[in-house]
């Protein structure tokens, strides 16, 4: 899916932003970059430095003269935009864009373009009107202008999220959890140890054991962790016993 | 809510990344920046250029020597991390982080720190073990190293999303949670007590403290619960001391 998402940069002025875009794309598994009438030399030392190992994406980029040429084979064209100006246009959030992508790209020849405008002036109205929809990254209204590569980063991140979503993220490699029985043995052991060190008096329980249960259960202890805790209890009891023997 | 989310950068080498971080933060409505032992002059022409109007955030940043100092008042500390290494730790996605924030920040004195490591080597294991959870930005496994400011951009974006559209998740914790500082005092106390009862030998630590940290942080202890646990430690130490006195 990700290989059929194209990032289109129009009239970019700073090679560093092209490099930063390449890095953000490669980080998120995108590879198709098109440059429309760049206003700088796309491949400079700045590009390579900001690309940080992803400059093959800039080498592979297609450079064309018009937005038309960059998106001619695309089935969905979405323009990154501040809030729509003169003409209201379908406006989606980055999250909604991500939500739409799997269906949009279900057909094997479907292709999506995400179009980003100039650093200083964004996309023209004519360009915005060539898009099926506009995507607006929600920003602080007092400081809404994102760096170009940062805007690509956010949308590329949502693309990757949408691609990963079915499988979600792997859970952290988890060890076997303690069974109910093991937990109950632990709580019995804990209570004995607390009595032995004189911290707990079953005659005046003050909800102590209930509080310790709630705390412990909330952590969903692994079997191995419970073994450590029981080892601590045994060492504690040995101190208390030897103390009694010495009396 | 957003004003109580702190971005913590540890050992940053490039002023441009500090500027880029400030811009990403301000774009998303965050303002609280802490720099831990930066390995560069934080405020240079590069900073101001990349900040693009958000350099007041760098001017207002607190510079400290250790992670401890940067997060001492925080109730939730989340470290940005690649996949966990030696010790598995609770790992969440940026989206899950966002989902948790409204509940985490419901109490007026709650404060969340998002911690980012060095450009070249990330966070150390010791730093990672001071975090309640790690957040992993899903990236292309072949090219997983995000630019620092880009990583901040993605998490700050999720923070803003969570603020704009809070998902009605867990109810806020009923009791005040222990602060980072209180937790660290507890872990120091725990280690002393385990040494006193002969269960722990710092010369051969076998990850004991790391495992106990992970277990305890996973439960998100309330302040009151931590007081109980410290009471138990004090009682345990008294046994061990009296035992020594008797010898």
């Amino acid at each position: 899916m990700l290989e059929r998402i194209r990032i289109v940069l129009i009239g970019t002025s700073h090679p560093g932003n092209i490099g930063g875009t390449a890095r953000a794309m490669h980080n998120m598994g995108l590879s198709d970059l098109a440059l429309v009438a760049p206003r700088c030399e796309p491949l400079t030392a700045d590009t390579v430095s900001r690309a940080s190992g992803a400059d093959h994406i800039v080498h592979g980029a297609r450079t064309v003269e018009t937005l038309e040429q960059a998106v001619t084979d695309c089935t969905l064209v979405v323009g990154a935009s501040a809030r729509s100006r003169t003409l209201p246009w379908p406006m989606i959030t980055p999250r909604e864009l991500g939500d739409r992508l799997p269906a949009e790209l279900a057909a094997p020849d479907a292709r999506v373009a995400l179009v980003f405008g100039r650093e200083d002036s964004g996309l023209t109205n004519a360009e915005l009107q060539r898009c099926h929809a506009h995507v607006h990254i929600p920003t602080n209204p007092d400081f809404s202008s994102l760096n170009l590569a940062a805007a690509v980063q956010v949308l590329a991140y949502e693309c990757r999220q949408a691609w990963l979503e079915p499988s979600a993220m792997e859970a952290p490699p988890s060890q076997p959890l303690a069974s109910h029985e093991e937990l109950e043995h632990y709580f019995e052991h804990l209570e004995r140890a607390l009595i032995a060190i004189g911290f707990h008096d079953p005659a005046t329980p003050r909800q102590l054991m209930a509080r310790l249960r709630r705390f412990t259960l909330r952590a969903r202890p692994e079997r191995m962790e419970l073994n450590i805790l029981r080892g601590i209890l045994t060492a504690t009891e040995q101190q208390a016993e030897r103390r009694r023997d010495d009396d």
Side-chain angles (χ1 to χ4, degrees), chain A:
Chain A
M1 179 183 116
L2 296 177
E3 75 283 0
R4 286 181 288 122
I5 299 174
R6 180 175 304 153
I7 300 295
V8 179
L9 304 184
I10 302 189
T12 309
S13 298
H14 298 298
N17 283 334
I18 296 177
T21 292
R23 181 174 185 176
M25 289 174 64
H26 194 32
N27 276 143
M28 295 297 148
L30 305 185
S31 52
D32 186 355
L33 174 64
L35 305 172
V36 177
R39 293 182 290 166
C40 63
E41 177 56 47
L43 254 169
T44 70
D46 249 18
T47 318
V48 174
S49 157
R50 288 282 299 281
S52 193
D55 48 294
H56 62 280
I57 292 197
V58 186
H59 285 283
R62 208 154 53 94
T63 301
V64 294
E65 275 311 300
T66 66
L67 173 57
E68 299 297 322
Q69 294 167 318
V71 300
T72 188
D73 57 340
C74 292
T75 44
L76 178 71
V77 179
V78 179
S81 166
R83 303 231 162 266
S84 261
R85 292 162 262 198
T86 40
L87 195 69
W89 213 259
M91 179 73 86
I92 58 176
T93 66
R95 182 96 11 121
E96 288 164 347
L97 170 67
D99 289 344
R100 277 178 66 166
L101 285 178
E104 289 289 346
L105 288 164
D109 58 347
R111 214 169 269 279
V112 170
L114 306 180
V115 184
F116 298 81
R118 298 148 195 86
E119 287 98 333
D120 48 356
S121 58
L123 296 168
T124 65
N125 281 342
E127 287 157 356
L128 285 167
Q129 291 173 16
R130 269 166 185 68
C131 299
H132 294 92
H134 301 159
V135 58
H136 173 69
I137 301 174
T139 47
N140 179 354
D142 297 334
F143 188 69
S144 62
S145 165
L146 283 166
N147 167 257
L148 176 57
V152 172
Q153 180 70 68
V154 168
L155 295 196
Y157 161 75
E158 286 288 1
C159 291
R160 188 172 187 82
Q161 278 303 110
W163 179 63
L164 290 171
E165 205 124 11
S167 57
M169 281 277 288
E170 310 141 57
S174 149
Q175 297 288 316
L177 295 183
S179 70
H180 178 79
E181 185 177 29
E182 288 161 338
L183 282 163
E184 290 306 314
H185 287 160
Y186 166 72
F187 289 127
E188 287 165 21
H189 196 171
L190 176 62
E191 183 158 19
R192 283 199 307 276
L194 293 179
I195 293 169
I197 64 172
F199 187 80
H200 174 48
D201 176 5
T204 56
R206 295 164 305 154
Q207 291 204 304
L208 175 68
M209 293 311 299
R211 291 184 199 279
L212 290 170
R213 267 178 184 279
R214 185 184 56 165
F215 165 76
T216 306
L217 293 175
R218 212 164 59 222
R220 311 289 319 282
E222 297 169 4
R223 178 167 303 147
M224 191 262 299
E225 291 170 337
L226 217 59
N227 289 341
I228 295 174
L229 296 176
R230 294 201 63 172
I232 294 174
L233 294 178
T234 300
T236 303
E237 286 179 321
Q238 279 163 359
Q239 292 290 327
E241 264 164 45
R242 273 185 277 171
R243 162 96 185 108
R244 263 202 308 282
D245 294 345
D246 295 339
D247 283 344

